[in-house]
Amino acid sequence: MKLKTVEDTREFGRRLAGVLRPGDLVLLTGPLGAGKTAMAQGIGAGLGVQGPITSPTFVIARVHRGPVPLVHADAYRLGDRPDPRAEIDDLDLDASADDAVTVVEWGVGLVEQLNDEYLQVRLDRLDDDTRTVELLPHGGDWAHRLETM
């Protein structure tokens, strides 16, 4: 699917939030500038969380309160240890995993162990600044839920 603007990316995130529920893990992948944070902003808006959603690159993870809380993490700067997954463990993301939707930017290869069932959202930015989005369900009922979007 192609998204023409950053606002279209946010709107897609809002729509995606409609099929999310507490305990879900969403991995946002793609190069710098592909729209991962814009997608997280849309998901947060769709979940009704409080406050602005900004890139958690320097704080690594933020919890946004709402009817369904959003844990928004960024694994981009992780990797100082020989096993970056140990740094993910230190973030204790699984502590709130059952009660919140957890969205992780740059998390592929690092956070899949948090949940056997997760959704990977692959974003890319084309030369004309449009974005493409591909949804890759892993386990559970993701494929069925995505059909309802």
Side-chain angles (χ1 to χ4, degrees):
M1 165 179 287
K2 282 193 177 183
L3 306 170
K4 294 184 183 215
T5 66
V6 173
E7 188 50 45
D8 290 341
T9 304
R10 287 187 190 103
E11 181 55 35
F12 186 87
R14 282 185 203 94
R15 287 187 20 235
L16 179 58
V19 301
L20 298 178
R21 56 186 178 225
D24 283 345
L25 173 63
V26 179
L27 305 181
L28 302 179
T29 65
L32 287 170
K36 293 178 294 296
T37 299
M39 181 70 65
Q41 290 168 338
I43 291 170
L47 294 175
V49 301
Q50 302 168 359
I53 295 175
T54 59
S55 177
T57 299
F58 294 102
V59 296
I60 310 299
R62 287 190 175 100
V63 177
H64 299 275
R65 304 283 176 222
V68 175
L70 170 67
V71 176
H72 182 205
D74 187 331
Y76 183 74
R77 296 200 179 274
L78 299 182
D80 292 339
R81 295 182 185 178
D83 182 4
R85 287 175 294 182
E87 290 180 289
I88 292 293
D89 289 342
D90 289 345
L91 292 175
D92 207 19
L93 293 177
D94 54 349
S96 58
D98 291 340
D99 302 322
V101 169
T102 302
V103 174
V104 182
E105 298 183 30
W106 302 98
V108 170
L110 298 172
V111 300
E112 291 90 339
Q113 77 274 6
L114 294 174
N115 198 330
D116 292 334
E117 304 167 3
Y118 63 91
L119 177 65
Q120 181 181 352
V121 179
R122 187 179 301 157
L123 295 153
D124 202 2
R125 184 172 162 187
L126 305 177
D127 289 339
D128 64 358
D129 276 344
T130 60
R131 278 128 177 108
T132 61
V133 62
E134 182 180 9
L135 302 177
L136 305 166
H138 295 269
D141 64 348
W142 278 110
H144 174 71
R145 284 198 268 166
L146 294 174
E147 289 174 0
T148 65
M149 282 185 60

